[in-house]
Amino acid sequence: MPYIKAQKVIRDTSGQIISGTAAIIDSEYIAGSKGHSKKHVREKLGKVLYLSEDKKTGIFLSPTRGMVEYCSLSDTFQEIECSDSRLQGNQNFPEPKVHSIFGDVYLLLEFMEKAGLTAVFREVFTKKSLFEKVMVHTLHHVLAVGSHISCDDFLTCSFASYLFPDLPLAELHCDSSYYEQMGDDDLRIKFFRSFIKLMKHSTGYIDQYAEFGKGCYVDSTPLPNEIRSLMSNAFCSHGTEGNCLQTRMYLVLDDKSDLPVWYGLTPGHVLDLSTINTIASDTFISVGIEISSMVLDAGYITKDFLSHYSQDDEKTFIGKSPQKRGFEFKTRYHEVKNLIPNMKYEIIRNGKSYFSFKKKVVLFGNPVWSYIYVDQKNALDWHVDYVLQHPEEYKAMTGKDKNWNRVKNGFFILLSNIDTSCSEILNRYIERTDIESVFKSSKDYGSLLPINKWDKKRVDGKLFSDIITTIVVLLLRKKLIKGKFSLAQFVGKPRSLMCFKDNNGHVVIETPNKQVKEIYNLFGIPIPASLNLP
């Protein structure tokens, strides 16, 4: 029969537990052994919040389950509310600081409310405790990205601590239980269906349109190979550079807004037509969205893929050509090498110069448009570095090889069944990397987590949480671009606006400066002089 073993439990003068840990101990009968039994720890319960006198029942901050009640008599767990009478006066629920940062949290909360995202969260995360965690983690991920401040510390010093007083700080410090809850696949499906519905019905605050999701494309981004719990990483050779990208996350994005409408995981080393078909099928079954265009990495462009999609009138694709046999990669270079210095073929994008040339070709019997480019800056930078670091090897090269060396690290080909300009194809391809850069900022936080404690459900929950953050950031950027503000300015400028709460729970906001007023005006959100919290 299991029992609770508590260690170093210390109580204050009122009898409240202020420190101590506990674990579930199983006792196994073994004839002939000392005491005729053997004891072992089945599960660590974490910090003790409450313990009955007979030590049969307790409330704990579990590192894996969050705040739970455990009864050793029935050997069961059940969730517990922060308002439970047994937790009154517990120091794990301290009063918020009198002075708190107001500007950034209030602005983001009001933006999410006006955009309809808060309503989506309430509809999807029906349990109050999970809804509040989603709100706080989203605030933290957007406003504290790159600062390495933990979620509990972020909440403590911000206006959000007034709004979510029932969230135990210790539970926010440990992300494991939160990501465990977020790993429920039904929540993911419900969220995206609700989000798609929101984007199809205009509120007048953000760009919404009835055709949202009708034209979608698929893009992918690599995930950290250190996440060993992913099934596709199970056979990774741990440290071998050739296997550094074992898993990819595909993003299905609305063609007009570039907002995610679905996502999933696929093994990174399986890049073929069946992968694309599986992605399309999963997206349609889950959220009813049919993929109509694709932006793909080189690994997806295969002979079978071209045979299937090159003449498809309903589905378009843009894909980076692999340097494999049959794709005539080097042939394209020899066809245009004499044109590369000609400024007639130059296009400028984001301050960079590209050579561009368009040609209709036939690959494996399939007609396809070949868009040929040279990123002049990348090509020249790499070429100079190579010459400086390998002078003897470069000197021994033939003139033909030197010419190729000069451009090869900026030379790339985009294959497509779309007949348009080189500039348009390049824009459509490179703009997709903006999505990956947003998602990468969310993934960076993952490197700080105890990956060795992750299981598949927690990994799924972490990715789901990151995608929610990505959606919020992308919607913010659409507003910020109109006012020529950056995301860093959105995060930094409003932080100077502080507030304080008096003994009656009345929140008084300080007088905002000019910079704070500018960014609030951009979002059409008035700055209150005071707030009465419920």
Side-chain angles (χ1 to χ4, degrees):
M1 179 178 177
Y3 66 92
I4 299 172
K5 182 179 180 180
Q7 294 181 309
K8 300 180 180 180
V9 174
I10 300 175
R11 300 176 184 267
D12 59 18
T13 54
S14 66
Q16 285 285 346
I17 295 176
I18 58 176
S19 67
T21 59
I24 301 174
I25 305 296
D26 275 335
S27 182
E28 179 184 0
Y29 174 76
I30 299 179
S33 65
K34 184 178 180 180
H36 303 289
S37 65
K38 183 178 179 181
K39 300 173 183 178
H40 64 273
V41 176
R42 184 211 298 175
E43 180 177 340
K44 292 181 179 180
L45 292 171
K47 189 171 185 177
V48 182
L49 301 181
Y50 164 81
L51 193 63
S52 63
E53 291 185 6
D54 60 5
K55 297 185 179 181
K56 303 293 184 183
T57 304
I59 300 174
F60 310 92
L61 275 178
S62 166
T64 56
R65 300 176 185 268
M67 189 168 67
V68 293
E69 179 181 3
Y70 174 71
C71 177
S72 61
L73 294 175
S74 59
D75 194 20
T76 57
F77 289 91
Q78 68 176 25
E79 294 188 3
I80 198 78
E81 294 295 332
C82 301
S83 58
D84 192 289
S85 59
R86 293 170 292 180
L87 297 177
Q88 288 184 2
N90 193 288
Q91 294 183 11
N92 285 284
F93 308 92
E95 285 295 313
K97 290 185 176 181
V98 176
H99 282 82
S100 300
I101 299 171
F102 177 82
D104 56 351
V105 169
Y106 184 79
L107 179 58
L108 182 53
L109 284 172
E110 286 296 296
F111 168 77
M112 290 168 62
E113 180 71 37
K114 291 171 74 70
L117 290 173
T118 303
V120 170
F121 291 167
R122 290 189 186 279
E123 180 183 341
V124 175
F125 309 107
T126 54
K127 194 170 182 179
K128 180 187 174 185
S129 60
L130 181 56
F131 166 76
E132 291 185 344
K133 287 178 186 177
V134 171
M135 292 294 290
V136 172
H137 277 277
T138 302
L139 291 171
H140 172 244
H141 286 167
V142 175
L143 298 174
V145 63
S147 67
H148 293 182
I149 182 174
S150 62
C151 190
D152 56 326
D153 288 341
F154 169 80
L155 179 65
T156 301
C157 65
S158 79
F159 167 70
S161 60
Y162 303 159
L163 304 176
F164 309 109
D166 293 335
L167 282 177
L169 295 178
E171 190 165 325
L172 289 174
H173 185 74
C174 176
D175 293 326
S176 300
S177 62
Y178 169 65
Y179 292 136
E180 186 90 21
Q181 291 175 285
M182 292 293 284
D184 187 341
D185 199 50
D186 288 339
L187 287 178
R188 179 169 64 119
I189 294 173
K190 190 175 180 181
F191 171 81
F192 278 102
R193 288 178 177 176
S194 181
F195 176 66
I196 293 168
K197 182 180 177 181
L198 166 70
M199 295 305 297
K200 287 184 175 182
H201 297 84
S202 177
T203 62
Y205 186 69
I206 57 175
D207 294 332
Q208 296 158 294
Y209 47 95
E211 298 300 309
F212 181 84
K214 290 292 180 68
C216 287
Y217 63 90
V218 60
D219 194 5
S220 65
T221 182
L223 293 179
N225 193 49
E226 292 84 357
I227 307 179
R228 305 297 179 194
S229 300
L230 293 174
M231 289 301 295
S232 50
N233 284 353
F235 301 104
C236 174
S237 55
H238 297 267
T240 301
E241 187 176 355
N243 287 333
C244 62
L245 298 180
Q246 291 292 308
T247 302
R248 302 187 75 85
M249 189 189 77
Y250 63 84
L251 290 164
V252 181
L253 307 165
D254 176 65
D255 196 37
K256 184 176 179 181
S257 66
D258 288 340
L259 289 169
V261 298
W262 186 244
Y263 75 94
L265 300 181
T266 183
H269 56 284
V270 182
L271 306 174
D272 54 18
L273 181 60
S274 64
T275 305
I276 298 297
N277 292 337
T278 299
I279 291 171
S281 175
D282 179 53
T283 304
F284 184 76
I285 292 171
S286 300
V287 292
I289 294 295
E290 188 168 352
I291 296 171
S292 62
S293 58
M294 292 165 282
V295 177
L296 304 167
D297 297 319
Y300 288 95
I301 305 299
T302 63
K303 177 181 178 180
D304 290 340
F305 178 88
L306 292 178
S307 298
H308 189 82
Y309 285 108
S310 64
Q311 300 183 67
D312 192 324
D313 295 329
E314 297 182 356
K315 290 183 173 63
T316 62
F317 73 89
I318 302 172
K320 199 169 186 179
S321 172
Q323 299 183 37
K324 293 180 180 178
R325 189 174 182 178
F327 283 89
E328 303 176 356
F329 187 83
K330 206 70 175 288
T331 300
R332 298 286 91 82
Y333 162 70
H334 289 297
E335 289 173 349
V336 303
K337 63 182 179 181
N338 294 328
L339 302 176
I340 293 175
N342 193 331
M343 292 298 100
K344 174 184 175 181
Y345 302 102
E346 181 187 40
I347 57 176
I348 304 294
R349 189 186 187 281
N350 289 347
K352 295 180 71 174
S353 171
Y354 292 86
F355 164 80
S356 63
F357 191 82
K358 168 187 172 184
K359 183 177 182 179
K360 189 71 172 284
V361 299
V362 177
L363 297 177
F364 307 107
N366 304 295
V368 65
W369 287 102
S370 180
Y371 294 87
I372 307 162
Y373 302 92
V374 177
D375 182 333
Q376 304 282 19
K377 185 178 186 306
N378 283 353
L380 181 60
D381 287 348
W382 186 92
H383 174 68
V384 171
D385 287 343
Y386 181 85
V387 173
L388 293 176
Q389 295 176 20
H390 306 88
E392 297 301 323
E393 291 91 332
Y394 182 73
K395 187 177 180 180
M397 285 183 180
T398 63
K400 181 180 178 180
D401 289 338
K402 286 180 179 179
N403 289 337
W404 170 239
N405 190 80
R406 167 65 180 76
V407 301
K408 72 175 184 179
N409 275 275
F411 185 85
F412 62 98
I413 299 172
L414 299 179
L415 301 176
S416 179
N417 59 352
I418 306 171
D419 181 9
T420 186
S421 67
C422 292
S423 180
E424 173 66 16
I425 290 292
L426 184 64
N427 282 336
R428 291 180 63 174
Y429 184 80
I430 293 182
E431 280 172 2
R432 307 323 184 212
T433 62
D434 292 340
I435 306 298
E436 183 169 338
S437 67
V438 172
F439 182 70
K440 183 180 184 297
S441 67
S442 300
K443 286 196 298 178
D444 286 344
Y445 181 68
S447 63
L448 305 178
L449 299 176
I451 294 177
N452 59 313
K453 294 183 179 180
W454 284 13
D455 57 23
K456 184 182 184 302
K457 195 168 185 179
R458 289 177 198 159
V459 170
D460 290 342
K462 175 67 172 72
L463 294 177
F464 183 23
S465 180
D466 285 347
I467 287 294
I468 290 175
T469 301
T470 300
I471 288 172
V472 174
V473 170
L474 288 172
L475 288 173
L476 279 173
R477 280 187 170 181
K478 293 179 185 298
K479 282 282 187 181
L480 291 167
I481 288 171
K482 294 177 182 179
K484 298 182 179 180
F485 281 97
S486 67
L487 185 63
Q489 289 174 313
F490 171 85
V491 172
K493 286 180 180 292
R495 286 183 64 84
S496 63
L497 184 60
M498 305 290 288
C499 69
F500 65 88
K501 186 170 70 169
D502 60 24
N503 294 331
N504 297 320
H506 189 67
V507 179
V508 179
I509 294 91
E510 296 178 350
T511 303
N513 60 33
K514 181 180 178 181
Q515 290 181 324
V516 173
K517 288 180 179 179
E518 283 180 353
I519 200 157
Y520 266 78
N521 288 338
L522 173 64
F523 284 83
I525 296 171
I527 304 174
S530 62
L531 291 171
N532 287 315
L533 299 180

